Each structure stands twice: as structure tokens, then as C-alpha cells.
Amino acid sequence: SDATVQKLAAVVRKVLSRVAPEAEVFGFASSELSRATAFAVAVPEVDIIVNVDPVMIAARMQGRSPLKPGRAGGVDARKLQKSVLRVFTDQLVADGRFKFRRSAFRGLEPKVTMLASETLGVSSEAIPIDFSVNCTTPLYNAALLMECGQHDVRAKELALFVKRWAKDRGIAHAAKGHLSPYTWTQLAIYFLQVGLPESTGALLPPFGRLRRTSAL
């Protein structure tokens, strides 16, 4: 899955280089892509995040896409983030290998759900992805899972299982008022930190001691 996601991120980076050559693109998969279910499009397993300098992008914005050199004074940061996301989404859709499914701009981190076509050559099937700009939640999720796995592989497996359980039952779609997949992961980790009265103790230490991936 990781190799496939990194290839997908490379394709996105190449497409977006036409409007933002300095953009960094990162990809994260929360589970095996081959285990997609009926809720795969509602809650994709893959996050593609574009990291760009807001000041540099703002300097290019002239209120309409594509991005062009211009003045950036007085631009609201959140509106700018949404505008850049729209521009990048338009570029990917115009490429012909990405299909728009829906947007979610009301949350704290705006994102767009798309289908990456099998014609990209990275997978034999279309891959649902959540696409965002300068968002941190996917990074936090990956860091937490990495920490759990390094401390005790059972902790990571349980966190992934709980998220998969919630997704398969259709109760992890944040746009419908459910807990988000990231929140389900946090609940599983909290359970492992607190432990049970009849158990020998917590399986994971407090968050403050999870420092292995602090550089992410």
C-alpha cells in the first residue's frame, strides 16, 4: 500500500507542478488498499496532502485560478487555503485521471474527495483519496500509529481494527456528524493508555512520552 500511495503522490506532484512547482506532496494510507469496502469513497483510506508556503501562494493569487503572480495583501488565511484547494482540485480533474466526488469545506480542515483512476498506472483499480492543502490531521494520525507500532505492535493493530470497524459500519463519516476516523484512533489509543481494572496495566504510555516520531 505504501509504495502505491507514494507513486500516487508523485503523480499529483507532477500534475500540480504546472501551477505550484515548489509544492510538496505527501501520501498516507491508513490500511491495506485491497481491503476497500462499500464505504471506501465515503471514508477513503488514502490521504494526499499538498504542503505549500501560504505567503508564496498568496503572492501569486489574483482572485481567480490558475495561480498567477499578484499581490497578496489582506488575504484571509482560511479563505486562501480553500481557494488554493479549489485551484489544485481543478488542475487534477482537468488532467483527466482524477474524478471529483465531493468537497467538505465546513470542517476545520477543508478537503476534497476524489477517485484516482486506474489509468494512472499505480493500481489496477480506482483509488478513493482525500485531498487537502496544508492539513495536519493525516500527519498526526500517521505519527500516532507509528509510535504505537514501535511501542507495541498490538496497539497499532487494535487502533487500525477499531477504525476499520467504525468505517465498515458507516459510523466514521464526519460530514454526517459521526466521529472521524482520527477520533476513533484516538479513542483506541486512550483505551490502551488507561487500561482495565483487571489488567496488568496500560499497554501504552501517556502522549507526552510518545516522542519517537516528533520529527515528522
Side-chain angles (χ1 to χ4, degrees), residues 90-173:
D90 288 344
Q91 287 292 315
L92 292 174
V93 173
D95 177 75
R97 296 175 294 176
F98 295 87
K99 295 182 179 180
F100 175 86
R101 282 295 175 262
R102 68 176 179 277
S103 60
F105 281 10
R106 294 183 179 180
L108 295 177
E109 295 186 326
K111 62 183 179 181
V112 172
T113 299
M114 292 187 283
L115 276 180
S117 171
E118 63 273 13
T119 59
L120 288 170
V122 301
S123 175
S124 59
E125 298 180 353
I127 302 175
I129 65 171
D130 273 339
F131 179 65
S132 58
V133 174
N134 291 347
C135 288
T136 57
T137 297
L139 179 63
Y140 292 157
N141 183 72
L144 283 177
L145 290 176
M146 185 181 297
E147 286 283 2
C148 289
Q150 291 180 348
H151 189 82
D152 192 315
V153 67
R154 295 173 299 172
K156 179 179 180 180
E157 290 175 350
L158 178 62
L160 289 173
F161 174 81
V162 169
K163 183 163 62 174
R164 168 66 63 176
W165 172 88
K167 178 180 175 180
D168 288 352
R169 283 152 184 77
I171 55 174
H173 192 186

Side-chain angles (χ1 to χ4, degrees), residues 10-138:
V11 173
V12 172
R13 186 181 304 111
K14 183 177 181 180
V15 174
L16 296 183
S17 65
R18 305 164 192 168
V19 292
E22 74 285 353
E24 296 179 299
V25 182
F26 303 95
F28 299 97
S30 58
S31 68
E32 290 295 328
L33 303 184
S34 59
R35 298 180 59 187
T37 67
F39 294 100
V41 177
V43 188
E45 300 286 358
V46 176
D47 283 284
I48 299 295
I49 305 100
V50 181
N51 185 30
V52 291
D53 184 346
V55 176
M56 185 177 298
I57 292 297
R60 292 183 178 183
M61 293 293 289
Q62 285 188 325
R64 300 189 64 171
S65 59
L67 302 182
K68 299 177 181 178
R71 299 180 61 184
V75 177
D76 178 82
R78 184 163 177 79
K79 289 182 178 179
L80 175 62
Q81 182 185 28
K82 293 179 181 180
S83 296
V84 174
L85 179 56
R86 290 189 182 99
V87 171
F88 287 173
T89 299
D90 288 344
Q91 287 292 315
L92 292 174
V93 173
D95 177 75
R97 296 175 294 176
F98 295 87
K99 295 182 179 180
F100 175 86
R101 282 295 175 262
R102 68 176 179 277
S103 60
F105 281 10
R106 294 183 179 180
L108 295 177
E109 295 186 326
K111 62 183 179 181
V112 172
T113 299
M114 292 187 283
L115 276 180
S117 171
E118 63 273 13
T119 59
L120 288 170
V122 301
S123 175
S124 59
E125 298 180 353
I127 302 175
I129 65 171
D130 273 339
F131 179 65
S132 58
V133 174
N134 291 347
C135 288
T136 57
T137 297

